[in-house]
Amino acid sequence: MIQRFQSISVFTKEPYKKILAFPKPKDSEIKKRIMELEKLGVSHVSFTGPLQIERCQILGKGYVGMVVLAKKDGGLVALKIRRIDSPRKNMSNEAKLLKIANKSGIGPRFIKNSKNFLVMEYVDGEKIIDWAKKSETKSEEMRSVLNNILRECYLLDDAGLDHGELSTIDKHVIIQKNRNTIIDFESSSIDRKTSNVSGAAQAIFIGTGLAKIVQKKIKLPSKTKIINLIRQYKKNPTLENFEKITLGLKIQKPGKFLNEVSILSEDQKLGPLVKKIGPCTMRITKNPYQTLVEAIIYQQLSEASATAITKRFLEIYGKFPTPKQVIDTSNKRLKNTGISSVKINYIKGLSKQILQKKIEFNKIAKLNDEQVTAELTKIKGVGNWTAQIYLMFCLQRKDVLPVDDLGIKKGIRDLFSLKELPTTKTVEKFSERWRPNRSIACWYMWKNQRINSIG
């Protein structure tokens, strides 16, 4: 999408003034609105987007206002402009409703509003129906995205905010890489019964153009079963009945550690994350060698980089290799996957020790957490973090806390509204409330940041 920005003074000219004061602009109103934009800090506008109005391309149009791409304080924003003929006298109520949605982590981020304008985060992506049509949108990714969307709908239901237009969800969800965003809260209300999950589920899975596309890409149960699941939730909109929908439609995998998750869901800070993310689907890798090799690959890397490298590593062998297969693989071939020379030496050193039977994983598994860490950190390339990952994702120890993990530090900072990243002692202090289930709490914090660790 081409973004050519012009000063907001362009609104004094045709045809742009009709966007600023649609549908019948008056010069006096144009002047007032430009002054209003200046006070908001909006300096530039770009007429670009999928919709053409009055020979101008814009991002969107509704009965309340027009949405255009703009700049505020040098950053991109979406600017909603109240129509002259709008039934709403100002943008205050929509701003209030968007802020309620934001509290649950939903919708474009609210920035600022005035009488005639709403400034919010610019969401650059594609409408869900266009994303669904793409050949590269595969079934696994579709399940994940649809699960996220329905989960956000549940959070809106739980917050008592009805979106009002999710029965036509193809117009109100934008898909970006690693994110989906529900938009357009102009018809929302906190005064009527919520129908976000039921409306969205019907629009996604039953009888719409989007539903037909979805049905071609993922196998769904019968229409009768889908309707019954939706009705059951509508009658009693509990989290349990919501999960019956996600599990029944097979867009959500069954969870692990159900009792532990139930306890964490009652926590004031972590509970909202549990509702947002859903069941704990932590990937347990019972192969000790695989767990350590993957953890070494993931050291000091982003999830995207580590995942891509691991995928290329597996492509050499077809499935996870044995220590001997790794030793027999040239360093050059391993380096071509993206694994650094240092990590190749670590992985091959680990492989040799296993072949020489210097590491006895069966004995290690019987030790307590501190003893396991002490034994594993004797291996070159295995530090405390790698040992803790091993405890969590191989031995299924439920109360492990990787205190120096950046994702955990960010999670603690965000959950407890700290101004900066916490120290090790602060991480330990704030996570004490989650004993004896800190491994699971960590998984939720990782997931909330789209960080997978190795599971």
Side-chain angles (χ1 to χ4, degrees):
M1 188 166 65
I2 299 172
Q3 299 174 357
R4 291 188 299 178
F5 284 91
Q6 303 176 70
S7 166
I8 56 173
S9 61
V10 74
F11 281 127
T12 61
K13 304 173 185 177
E14 293 286 358
Y16 310 113
K17 60 167 58 178
K18 289 184 179 178
I19 302 299
L20 188 63
F22 186 87
K24 294 180 179 180
K26 293 180 180 179
D27 289 341
S28 58
E29 183 66 19
I30 294 294
K31 186 177 179 180
K32 287 180 186 177
R33 291 193 171 203
I34 288 177
M35 290 176 65
E36 199 175 325
L37 284 175
E38 289 171 345
K39 286 182 181 179
L40 285 170
V42 176
S43 57
H44 292 79
V45 65
S46 176
F47 294 99
T48 183
L51 188 64
Q52 186 176 54
I53 300 291
E54 299 292 339
R55 295 180 286 129
C56 296
Q57 299 300 131
I58 64 173
L59 298 177
K61 173 178 176 284
Y63 73 94
V64 171
M66 326 285 273
V67 184
V68 298
L69 182 63
K71 276 189 179 181
K72 172 178 162 55
D73 303 326
L76 293 182
V77 295
L79 175 68
K80 188 163 188 176
I81 306 168
R82 190 179 71 88
R83 293 170 51 156
I84 297 294
D85 60 351
S86 169
R88 306 280 168 82
K89 299 302 180 185
N90 56 60
M91 300 299 287
S92 298
N93 189 57
E94 187 171 342
K96 173 188 170 184
L97 295 168
L98 181 57
K99 283 189 270 188
I100 292 172
N102 284 178
K103 283 183 180 179
S104 298
I106 298 165
R109 180 174 55 86
F110 168 81
I111 298 173
K112 206 169 184 180
N113 77 285
S114 61
K115 177 183 177 181
N116 294 303
F117 301 102
L118 173 60
V119 184
M120 53 195 158
E121 173 191 8
Y122 168 55
V123 181
D124 185 14
E126 54 192 336
K127 288 186 177 180
I128 184 172
I129 193 163
D130 297 323
W131 168 82
K133 286 177 183 175
K134 290 162 61 175
S135 59
E136 55 264 40
T137 302
K138 304 302 181 185
S139 59
E140 185 177 351
E141 183 186 9
M142 180 169 280
R143 284 190 179 92
S144 176
V145 168
L146 296 182
N147 181 48
N148 288 341
I149 292 168
L150 283 189
R151 199 160 293 283
E152 290 198 352
C153 291
Y154 171 74
L155 291 174
L156 289 176
D157 281 351
D158 193 51
L161 175 63
D162 186 53
H163 183 279
E165 296 186 76
L166 293 183
S167 59
T168 53
I169 198 168
D170 56 311
K171 298 177 182 178
H172 302 290
V173 172
I174 299 294
I175 306 296
Q176 300 167 283
K177 187 177 181 181
N178 296 327
R179 182 185 174 191
N180 49 266
T181 305
I182 296 173
I183 60 171
D184 300 332
F185 285 83
E186 66 181 21
S187 299
S188 301
S189 174
I190 55 174
D191 298 322
R192 61 175 178 253
K193 186 176 180 181
T194 57
S195 60
N196 300 294
V197 169
S198 55
Q202 290 181 69
I204 293 170
F205 301 109
I206 303 172
T208 65
L210 175 60
K212 290 177 182 177
I213 296 168
V214 170
Q215 289 163 10
K216 289 179 181 178
K217 298 210 173 186
I218 60 176
K219 189 175 181 180
L220 296 172
S222 68
K223 182 178 177 181
T224 301
K225 182 174 181 180
I226 296 172
I227 291 171
N228 287 339
L229 288 168
I230 295 171
R231 282 177 177 168
Q232 185 178 6
Y233 172 82
K234 199 170 182 179
K235 185 177 179 180
N236 188 15
T238 62
L239 180 58
E240 181 183 1
N241 283 338
F242 170 74
E243 297 298 3
K244 286 180 180 178
I245 295 176
T246 64
L247 292 167
L249 296 176
K250 296 183 178 179
I251 58 174
Q252 168 72 60
K253 294 178 181 178
K256 299 179 176 72
F257 310 115
L258 299 182
N259 290 335
E260 293 79 5
V261 170
S262 178
I263 292 168
L264 291 172
S265 69
E266 298 300 318
D267 182 79
Q268 186 179 5
K269 297 294 184 182
L270 199 69
L273 286 194
V274 176
K275 288 181 179 180
K276 176 181 176 182
I277 294 163
C280 177
T281 55
M282 183 186 294
R283 180 171 70 92
I284 302 301
T285 308
K286 294 184 179 180
N287 179 343
Y289 176 64
Q290 178 179 347
T291 305
L292 288 175
V293 170
E294 288 185 349
I296 290 169
I297 291 172
Y298 268 78
Q299 290 171 3
Q300 306 298 319
L301 292 178
S302 68
E303 178 192 1
S305 297
T307 301
I309 290 170
T310 304
K311 183 180 178 182
R312 291 193 291 268
F313 174 72
L314 292 175
E315 284 171 354
I316 297 175
Y317 310 100
K319 60 180 181 179
F320 205 89
T322 63
K324 187 176 187 311
Q325 285 177 306
V326 170
I327 289 172
D328 291 342
T329 306
S330 70
N331 285 10
K332 182 179 179 182
R333 192 172 185 191
L334 289 172
K335 198 167 184 179
N336 286 340
T337 67
I339 304 175
S340 69
S341 298
V342 172
K343 289 184 179 180
I344 289 170
N345 290 334
Y346 291 160
I347 292 168
K348 286 202 168 184
L350 168 66
S351 304
K352 286 177 184 177
Q353 288 192 58
I354 290 173
L355 287 176
Q356 293 167 359
K357 298 185 179 178
K358 291 182 178 180
I359 304 172
E360 298 182 77
F361 288 115
N362 288 337
K363 287 186 178 180
I364 289 174
K366 296 175 183 177
L367 303 175
N368 65 35
D369 292 357
E370 291 76 16
Q371 291 169 331
V372 170
T373 300
E375 284 299 311
L376 290 179
T377 51
K378 292 177 183 177
I379 303 167
K380 192 171 183 180
V382 176
N384 285 335
W385 180 84
T386 304
Q388 288 161 342
I389 293 298
Y390 182 87
L391 284 164
M392 295 170 73
F393 296 109
C394 186
L395 298 185
Q396 301 184 57
R397 302 288 173 87
K398 299 174 187 177
D399 197 40
V400 181
L401 178 69
V403 291
D404 294 317
D405 183 273
L406 181 59
I408 300 307
K409 287 187 173 184
K410 286 181 177 178
I412 295 289
R413 178 197 63 192
D414 296 343
L415 283 179
F416 293 91
S417 303
L418 306 179
K419 291 182 178 179
E420 52 190 23
L421 288 176
T423 63
T424 297
K425 286 186 177 180
T426 303
V427 170
E428 290 174 342
K429 174 186 173 183
F430 281 107
S431 63
E432 190 66 26
R433 63 198 289 154
W434 301 319
R435 280 185 183 271
N437 302 308
R438 290 179 297 175
S439 298
I440 300 154
C442 288
W443 183 85
Y444 276 101
M445 285 188 279
W446 276 324
K447 277 294 178 184
N448 188 50
Q449 298 167 68
R450 299 287 199 279
I451 296 173
N452 249 343
S453 183
I454 62 167

